[in-house]
Every structure is written in structure tokens, then in C-alpha cells.
Amino acid sequence: MKGNQARIYLSNLEYNIRQIKNTVGAAKLCVSVKANAYGHGDIIIARKAVESGADYLAVSSPAEGRRLREAGIKEPVLLFGLSVPEMISETVAYNLTPFVCDTEYIDALNVSAGNCARLKKDGRPVSERGFPVHLKVDTGMGRIGCRPENAADLAAYINRCENLYLAGICTHLCVSDSLEPADIDYTQRQIRLFKESIEAVKKAGIKPGLCHCSASGGILMYPDAVFDMVRTGILIYGYFPSDQVKNAKKSFDLKPVMELCASVVSIKTVEKGESISYGRTWTAPKKTRIATIGIGYGDGLPRRLSPGLHVNIRGKNYPVVGRICMDQCMADIGLEDDIRRWDDAYIFGPQKNCCGADKLAEIAGTISYEILTGISARVPRIIVP
């Protein structure tokens, strides 16, 4: 290996998607590729996800959607985030299906869709029905979305717009990855409110389109919330949304898609009492060898992982000692093992005896999502078929 690499195992991605599809049956599958596909590479992941059976893709911003379209990806792309006024025309031009939740935003999309000359930049004509939008209902997340009692009125408002039509209705579960009794009750309430919103739309004589509610936690914990489609992110990348879900669903097998590795760039012997790295936070308790590894927080390896992080070199784990630097970190490899300069050092991934991104998250006091999305763009993504 030459330098730092984030190796992307596409066969593991395909495996994880198959696991999810087996769980949700006939429901459509929307794969989230926002934030550069959780750090894995948006174009790479999007193409493989579609090849593996994804019906929809999802992004957070028009710029992310534009990248997919310019790469030739034609499949439906949901736009999770709300666009600022200057980007609404881009949302329409690149045929991204946005979430909407208020009349001002709906009006802006309607105007933009009318100005689009009924032709998208990817070459596909606008549907005769108009430009599709999904109505987002806030059942308890408290982020974006209309109140459940306003869903039917907004659905009717959308369908009165000359250039828009209601293609779906959705909500987001905020604690579906928790098994605490109060959180289970809260999630069940959210699902109930969503069902009531759908029924209100139907009673108003409006077809709600695709109904979708569950992300990764809901997929595994709430089979009654599958509806017409599920949206998955962290599961396809090989991790559970929480330890509680992981423990509850031990039979649900996942394979990490990313492997983060670096090279041992230097090995030196230090004597008892000598210190390592900034702040002298670690002092050698005895004579040992220190391997300097060419990866640091500038590559996405959080500084707060030391102490606690172990790296895997030649199948054995060694503790990272001293503070992690911007471009390097150091591991205590002892005096006995036959480790050599330029050996591979595995930070996390599917390798045997190597920890996962969820273990790093536990050490850092965060979640696996942040570890994965935090891997710097300067770390090359290397495809492993």
C-alpha cells in the first residue's frame, strides 16, 4: 500500500442492501448518498446502490444532486434539505424531488418549475403532471415539516399549483433507534400521527403518492412503519444506528463497506520516561518501540481518539499513544513483534481483528456517522470490487 487509503468494498455494500431488501419485502428502497455517501464516495456508491436494487437515491443539497446528474445518474433523487431561494431553480433543473412543508416554499418551486421550459438539464422532459414534490410532515422530529393537522390542506395546495403535483408524503422518526420505553411510545405516536396524516390526505380526495417513514432504525425495529418505501443510510454502509439496535438485532448481519488504513512511516526506540507527542500526555513506562503512522486529524482521525484507539498491524492491535497530530499518530508496538517500516496500519474496517467505525465512535463519544463522514477528502477512496 502507498500512503493513506479509504478502501471501499462494493461487494459489502451489495450484501448490506440485499439484507435490507429481504427485510422490507416489496417496499421501495431509497439509499442516502448525502455527505459524499457518508464519506464513501457519492458517485461510486450511487451507481452500485442502483445496480444492487435501490429505487431512489437521496441527497441533502442541490449541489449534491447536481453531481449525480452530471455523472449520468438518471434515477429519482430525493432532496432532503430545503434549498435557499438562489438554489431552487437548480433543484428543478436537475430533476431533484424536494421535500416541501409550507406555502412559501411550494410557491417558489411552482414558479421555478414553470420557468424551466419543461426540460431538465439531464435531457428528460417534465412529467405532464408537473414537477413532483414530497410533503414532509413533522410528527415529532421538530426539524422541518408541516403539522399533521395541516397535511391535507397543504396536499390540496400543492395539487392546485399549475406546475407541481404531490408525488409522496413522508415523515422522520427521531428515536426509532432507542429501546427506552418512553422512546418506543414516542415513535409509535409518530407512526400513528403519520398514518392519520395519510388518511386525512386521502379523505380530501388526494392520492398521497409514495408514503415513507422509516430510516435505518425504523427498518429494523418497526415493521409496521415500512409503508411504500424506506430510506436507509448507515445500514448500507455496514453499521447499526445505535448499540441498542445492534444488540436487539444480532442476527441481522452487516459488513462494513469502508476500510481506513495508513502506513507505518517510522519506527524508533524510546527509553523509559521519554514522552511522546504534544503536551507530553504519554510517557513510556518502560523501554519500547514507537511506530509513527502517517495519518492524523487532518485526515479525519479525531484527536480525541487518544487514549483509547488501537491500530491493527500484521493482525495484532497496538495502542495509539500521545496526542494524535494533524498528519501523524504514534503507536506503542513493544520490543518483540516483527513490525517494519511501510507496513499497513488498519484504523477500522472489515479486516479480521480490526475494529469498526462504531468502536472509534464509542471511544470518541460520538456516533459512527460522524466518524465515516469525517474522513477527509485528501484520503483517496480506493474501490475494492
Side-chain angles (χ1 to χ4, degrees), residues 8 30-42 45 58-59 64 80 172 215-216 231-239 257-258 348 357 367-375 381:
I8 309 301
C30 175
V31 168
S32 177
V33 292
K34 63 180 181 175
N36 196 28
Y38 290 40
H40 293 68
D42 54 357
I45 297 299
V59 297
E64 291 179 336
F80 286 166
H172 191 64
S216 294
R231 310 180 303 266
T232 184
I234 199 68
L235 284 180
I236 73 155
Y237 301 111
Y239 293 97
V257 174
M258 181 189 289
F348 65 79
I367 54 178
S368 55
Y369 304 71
E370 186 176 359
I371 297 296
L372 295 170
T373 58
I375 303 307
R381 271 59 173 177

Side-chain angles (χ1 to χ4, degrees), residues 352-370:
K352 186 178 180 181
N353 298 325
C354 191
C355 69
D358 50 355
K359 179 60 179 178
L360 270 67
E362 179 185 337
I363 296 167
T366 184
I367 54 178
S368 55
Y369 304 71
E370 186 176 359

Side-chain angles (χ1 to χ4, degrees), residues 3 15 60 67 116 145 165 189 279 291 300 347 350 364 374 379 383:
Y15 178 86
S60 184
R67 278 182 50 81
C116 197
Y165 77 95
R189 177 179 179 274
I347 313 302
V379 178
I383 304 305

Side-chain angles (χ1 to χ4, degrees), residues 100-102 135-155 169-171 186 189 193-194 196-198 200-201:
V100 300
C101 53
D102 62 78
L135 178 61
K136 180 69 175 289
V137 182
D138 181 10
T139 57
M141 178 71 180
R143 195 166 53 184
I144 64 170
C146 69
R147 291 190 175 277
E149 60 268 25
N150 296 332
D153 287 343
L154 277 175
I169 182 170
C170 58
T171 194
Y186 194 87
R189 177 179 179 274
L193 287 172
F194 185 53
E196 291 172 359
S197 299
I198 295 169
V201 170

Side-chain angles (χ1 to χ4, degrees), residues 68-119:
L68 299 185
R69 294 298 186 223
E70 290 178 345
I73 294 168
K74 307 287 188 185
E75 281 67 29
V77 177
L78 293 184
L79 178 58
F80 286 166
L82 301 181
S83 302
V84 297
E86 292 78 8
M87 292 183 179
I88 286 178
S89 60
E90 192 170 4
T91 299
V92 176
Y94 286 100
N95 200 23
L96 311 177
T97 303
F99 288 177
V100 300
C101 53
D102 62 78
T103 56
E104 180 183 8
Y105 196 65
I106 292 167
D107 287 342
L109 281 164
N110 186 45
V111 170
S112 186
N115 291 336
C116 197
R118 300 201 172 276
L119 187 68

Side-chain angles (χ1 to χ4, degrees), residues 175-232:
V175 282
S176 61
D177 59 350
S178 170
L179 300 186
E180 298 299 324
D183 290 336
I184 292 173
D185 288 345
Y186 194 87
T187 300
Q188 290 173 337
R189 177 179 179 274
Q190 282 194 269
I191 296 169
R192 185 176 68 254
L193 287 172
F194 185 53
K195 289 179 178 178
E196 291 172 359
S197 299
I198 295 169
E199 288 307 309
V201 170
K202 289 180 177 178
K203 285 180 181 178
I206 301 167
K207 293 181 179 179
L210 278 178
C211 300
H212 48 109
C213 172
S214 286
S216 294
I219 289 169
L220 295 183
M221 303 309 300
Y222 296 90
D224 61 327
V226 168
F227 294 98
D228 301 319
M229 183 169 71
V230 295
R231 310 180 303 266
T232 184

Side-chain angles (χ1 to χ4, degrees), residues 166-331:
L166 182 66
I169 182 170
C170 58
T171 194
H172 191 64
L173 306 176
C174 59
V175 282
S176 61
D177 59 350
S178 170
L179 300 186
E180 298 299 324
D183 290 336
I184 292 173
D185 288 345
Y186 194 87
T187 300
Q188 290 173 337
R189 177 179 179 274
Q190 282 194 269
I191 296 169
R192 185 176 68 254
L193 287 172
F194 185 53
K195 289 179 178 178
E196 291 172 359
S197 299
I198 295 169
E199 288 307 309
V201 170
K202 289 180 177 178
K203 285 180 181 178
I206 301 167
K207 293 181 179 179
L210 278 178
C211 300
H212 48 109
C213 172
S214 286
S216 294
I219 289 169
L220 295 183
M221 303 309 300
Y222 296 90
D224 61 327
V226 168
F227 294 98
D228 301 319
M229 183 169 71
V230 295
R231 310 180 303 266
T232 184
I234 199 68
L235 284 180
I236 73 155
Y237 301 111
Y239 293 97
F240 290 89
S242 71
D243 287 340
Q244 286 185 322
V245 173
K246 181 179 181 178
N247 293 332
K249 296 292 179 179
K250 292 180 180 179
S251 63
F252 191 87
D253 190 40
L254 291 171
K255 296 181 179 181
V257 174
M258 181 189 289
E259 174 179 84
L260 182 63
C261 45
S263 296
V264 173
V265 297
S266 174
I267 297 175
K268 65 189 298 182
T269 300
V270 298
E271 302 294 333
K272 178 181 178 179
E274 292 185 356
S275 59
I276 299 297
S277 198
Y278 292 111
R280 302 182 66 238
T281 60
W282 186 86
T283 300
K286 59 183 179 181
K287 184 177 181 179
T288 190
R289 288 181 305 157
I290 297 295
T292 298
I293 302 164
I295 191 168
Y297 61 77
D299 304 287
L301 193 66
R303 190 170 181 260
R304 58 189 179 278
L305 285 175
S306 181
L309 175 64
H310 286 68
V311 295
N312 190 278
I313 308 172
R314 296 199 172 198
K316 185 176 177 180
N317 291 321
Y318 299 93
V320 169
V321 295
R323 287 179 178 162
I324 293 171
C325 308
M326 183 181 290
D327 313 301
Q328 300 170 91
C329 64
M330 286 64 68

